[in-house]
């Protein structure tokens, strides 16, 4: 067989160790696909004394990541340290030296990808990032290549494994938020700073990338309306269940007549829908193309080996294309760079959606009437309502699901409801998606 593709791996955490395990464990199959062996020759990590769950024999292990990015004996750099800096500088250095890049770093791509892709184009190298969205699900390749004949109208997905794991543990096991998050961290699902997961930032990074490759628009992270799962309480999970819904964290990108919607949000979904059944660390993306119709993808969204599966697929692409003229590369963001078009992104106040509202109210006569009257006066229909019987002087709980309503109209009604004297502090409000 021909000479191996020599990989310099920067980062030896959850994903980096997975990459070494998968490349070694499936070496023969991978070489048969790539046409040459793919071998990790260099690794950089911070703490060289730390025990790793992979074999490192025959690999040069250093703490200086720049050494790996620059070494002439490295053909391709895999960046799996995460974060913006020094990941960005390392990638740009490696590109400048003519090395292709494989990265799982959605934060960097969503926030500064335009610069990195431009540098790679100029130097004639690839930047591949299948692992950046939905872990092991090959969604980037599917949208960029398999669905290239479609105008993609919308996509929605469970795209953060940590959020989904936490919500599943809370729903199925009654676990509290903090315990479930600690477990997700122990399992290697969470970002180095888990606020990125639970506050919706990680999902928004992924949504930014998905929207760019689905709609042919520039990366527009600063235009995503970001919401996480920190507002979800055990009572919401119970109320949603009683109403026939599940609570999930979704990323949604949708074309409308007025512009593109880009939002991440805690969402109630009817419990018989596909996305409602995606549990634990699993991710799922459902999208609609005008030729293919609805199509769904499902699989592990985080964790070492599933994410390494995506990294290694990118390495196989790099191996197959090394030496090829860059005009033969698939465009990194699916559309030819000079055909990427700005699209207006709708402010969140202008979207339309059904809404869930849970209120704690004093147990006095006329409460329900006052709330429903405000909704009726605002021309908001109630689709479902649940009142939990108060026990021994407790407050009553009311949960409501509305029909689809303009966001601003619902917000105005909510302001009035909040001001009612018997409504207690701390209501919950999430959007509802039916996926009919
Ligand atoms: P980890 O925190 O587990 O690992 C990060 C690794 O990078 C560690 O080995 C660390 O070294 C090393 N590192 C950090 N900074 C430097 C530096 N300056 N020089 C050399 N090495 C450095 O992260 P993950 O593996 O979980 O994630 C890596 C990337 O993959 C992130 O971008 C993340 O968003 C993405 N990702 C993660 C997934 C997952 O399931 N975990 C799934 C999909 C994408 P040391 O070990 O010595 O501290
Ligand atoms: N922290 C991310 C998640 C890792 O939980 O989905 C996978 O991108």
């Amino acid at each position: 067989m021909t000479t191996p593709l020599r990989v310099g791996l920067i980062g030896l955490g959850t994903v980096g160790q997975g990459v070494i395990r998968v490349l070694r464990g499936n070496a023969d199959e991978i070489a048969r696909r790539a046409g040459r062996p793919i071998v990790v020759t260099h690794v950089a990590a911070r703490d060289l004394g730390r025990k790793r769950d992979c074999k490192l024999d025959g690999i040069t292990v250093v703490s200086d990541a720049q050494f790996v990015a620059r070494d002439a004996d490295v053909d391709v750099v895999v960046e799996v340290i995460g974060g913006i800096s020094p990941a960005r500088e390392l990638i740009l250095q490696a590109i400048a030296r003519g090395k292709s890049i494989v990265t799982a770093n959605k934060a960097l791509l969503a926030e500064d990808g335009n610069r990195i892709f431009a540098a790679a184009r100029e130097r004639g190298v690839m930047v591949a990032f299948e692992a950046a969205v939905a872990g092991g699900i090959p969604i980037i390749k599917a949208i960029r290549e398999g669905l290239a004949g479609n105008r993609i109208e919308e996509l929605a997905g469970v795209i953060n494994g940590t959020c989904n794991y936490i919500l599943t543990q809370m729903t199925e096991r009654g676990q509290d938020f903090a315990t479930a998050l600690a477990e997700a961290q122990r399992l290697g699902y969470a970002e180095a700073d888990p606020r990125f997961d639970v506050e919706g930032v990680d999902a928004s990074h992924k949504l930014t990338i998905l929207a760019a490759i689905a709609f042919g628009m520039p990366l527009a992270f600063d235009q995503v309306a970001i919401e996480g799962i920190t507002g979800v309480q055990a009572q919401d999970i119970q109320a949603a269940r009683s109403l026939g819904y599940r609570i999930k964290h979704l990323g949604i990108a949708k074309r409308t007549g007025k512009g593109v919607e880009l939002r991440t949000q805690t969402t109630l979904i009817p419990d018989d829908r596909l996305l409602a059944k995606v549990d634990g660390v699993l991710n799922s993306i459902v999208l609609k193309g005008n030729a293919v119709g609805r199509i769904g993808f499902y699989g592990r969204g985080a964790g070492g080996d599933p994410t390494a599966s995506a990294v290694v697929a990118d390495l196989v692409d790099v191996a197959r294309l090394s030496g090829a003229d860059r005009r033969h590369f698939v465009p990194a963001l699916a559309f030819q760079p000079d055909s990427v078009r700005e699209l207006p992104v709708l402010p969140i106040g202008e979207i339309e959606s059904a809404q869930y509202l849970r209120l704690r109210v004093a147990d006095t006569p006329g409460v329900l009437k006052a709330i429903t009257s405000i909704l009726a006066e605002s021309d908001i229909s109630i689709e479902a309502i649940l009142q939990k019987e108060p026990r021994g002087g407790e407050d009553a709980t009311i949960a409501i699901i509305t029909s689809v309503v303009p966001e601003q109209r619902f917000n105005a009604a909510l302001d009035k409801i909040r001001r009612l004297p018997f409504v207690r502090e701390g209501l919950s409000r999430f959007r509802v998606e039916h996926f009919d």
Side-chain angles (χ1 to χ4, degrees):
M1 228 182 253
T2 48
T3 48
L5 182 77
R6 298 166 303 177
V7 178
L9 179 65
I10 303 182
L12 195 53
T14 302
V15 182
Q17 294 171 75
V19 169
I20 292 189
R21 284 194 301 270
V22 172
L23 278 175
R24 290 202 157 176
N26 297 341
D28 185 43
E29 294 272 309
I30 291 166
R32 286 170 58 212
R33 290 195 170 101
R36 58 198 286 207
I38 299 179
V39 180
V40 176
T41 54
H42 297 61
V43 165
R46 279 176 304 208
D47 177 0
L48 300 189
R50 201 172 128 195
K51 196 172 168 330
R52 311 284 170 172
D53 187 15
C54 61
K55 292 203 175 98
L56 294 170
D57 49 293
I59 300 176
T60 303
V61 184
V62 297
S63 58
D64 179 7
Q66 289 202 5
F67 173 74
V68 176
R70 291 176 174 166
D71 195 315
D73 290 334
V74 166
D75 301 313
V76 51
V77 166
V78 173
E79 181 278 306
V80 281
I81 61 176
I84 305 295
S85 190
R88 174 179 49 207
E89 292 72 27
L90 291 165
I91 286 175
L92 290 172
Q93 279 171 18
I95 289 173
R97 281 169 173 71
K99 301 180 199 309
S100 282
I101 305 295
V102 175
T103 178
N105 194 335
K106 53 267 174 165
L108 177 58
L109 294 182
E111 295 189 28
D112 213 4
N114 294 323
R115 168 141 61 126
I116 288 166
F117 293 126
R121 265 198 313 281
E122 189 141 309
R123 195 61 178 77
V125 296
M126 289 171 66
V127 174
F129 53 94
E130 184 62 69
V133 181
I137 304 175
I139 188 66
I140 302 295
K141 211 175 201 24
I143 296 178
R144 199 164 53 185
E145 297 174 46
L147 297 170
N150 287 263
R151 175 183 159 91
I152 295 176
E153 302 293 350
E154 61 182 64
L155 62 87
V158 173
I159 50 176
N160 182 274
T162 301
C163 286
N164 205 43
Y165 183 84
I166 292 169
L167 293 173
T168 304
Q169 293 295 96
M170 288 173 78
T171 306
E172 303 299 331
R173 304 217 171 142
Q175 214 169 51
D176 64 81
F177 192 102
T179 307
L181 171 57
E183 187 78 351
Q185 289 180 281
R186 191 186 63 75
L187 291 165
Y189 303 154
E191 295 302 300
D193 180 348
R195 284 176 301 182
F196 274 59
D197 295 291
V198 298
E199 292 178 4
V201 178
D202 176 76
S204 301
H205 287 144
K206 293 166 177 165
L207 187 74
T208 300
I209 296 170
L210 287 175
I213 64 170
F215 301 151
M217 62 186 286
L219 295 158
F221 173 67
D222 56 354
Q223 296 190 66
V224 178
I226 305 176
E227 182 190 289
I229 59 166
T230 49
V232 179
Q233 296 182 18
Q235 296 96 308
D236 297 310
I237 289 183
Q238 285 152 17
R241 273 193 110 135
S242 304
L243 290 160
Y245 291 79
R246 288 285 183 280
I247 297 185
K248 294 285 168 194
H249 187 260
L250 294 186
I252 297 174
K254 198 190 278 191
R255 292 183 200 261
T256 75
K258 294 186 284 180
V260 175
E261 291 181 14
L262 294 180
R263 49 189 161 110
T264 55
Q265 60 184 51
T266 295
T267 312
L268 272 76
I269 308 174
D271 56 15
D272 59 352
R273 303 297 194 271
L274 178 75
L275 289 175
K277 297 176 196 294
V278 177
D279 282 334
V281 72
L282 291 167
N283 279 194
S284 180
I285 294 135
V286 176
L287 60 81
K288 190 169 146 199
N290 66 347
V292 75
R294 278 201 193 277
I295 182 165
F297 303 84
Y298 179 82
R300 286 182 177 271
D305 287 13
T307 308
S309 161
V311 169
V312 172
D314 280 345
L315 284 171
V316 170
D317 274 353
V318 171
R320 285 171 174 157
L321 281 164
S322 66
D325 188 302
R326 76 180 165 90
R327 283 171 300 182
H328 300 307
F329 293 178
V330 177
L333 290 175
F335 289 71
Q336 298 297 340
D338 56 2
S339 300
V340 171
R341 309 235 160 88
E342 296 274 353
L343 292 176
V345 177
L346 274 188
I348 194 69
E350 291 182 27
I351 71 153
E352 297 195 354
S353 175
Q355 302 277 346
Y356 158 88
L357 177 63
R358 182 179 60 81
L359 303 154
R360 220 159 40 80
V361 294
D363 182 25
T364 50
V367 169
L368 200 54
K369 182 160 179 281
I371 294 168
T372 53
S373 299
I374 290 176
L375 292 173
E377 284 156 16
S378 311
D379 201 16
I380 298 171
S381 310
I382 295 173
E383 295 288 315
I385 190 159
L386 179 82
Q387 178 165 14
K388 202 167 150 248
E389 197 184 344
R391 287 201 197 120
E394 269 183 14
D395 291 331
T397 296
I398 297 171
I400 293 171
I401 291 186
T402 73
S403 57
V404 173
V405 57
E407 186 96 354
Q408 274 167 358
R409 196 192 306 162
F410 185 76
N411 288 344
L414 192 53
D415 275 349
K416 290 185 191 162
I417 291 173
R418 263 187 229 273
R419 287 200 294 270
L420 291 171
F422 43 74
V423 172
R424 306 294 192 214
E425 296 252 306
L427 55 78
S428 295
R429 168 267 177 96
F430 305 118
R431 296 188 196 98
V432 180
E433 299 287 338
H434 287 96
F435 299 109
D436 291 327

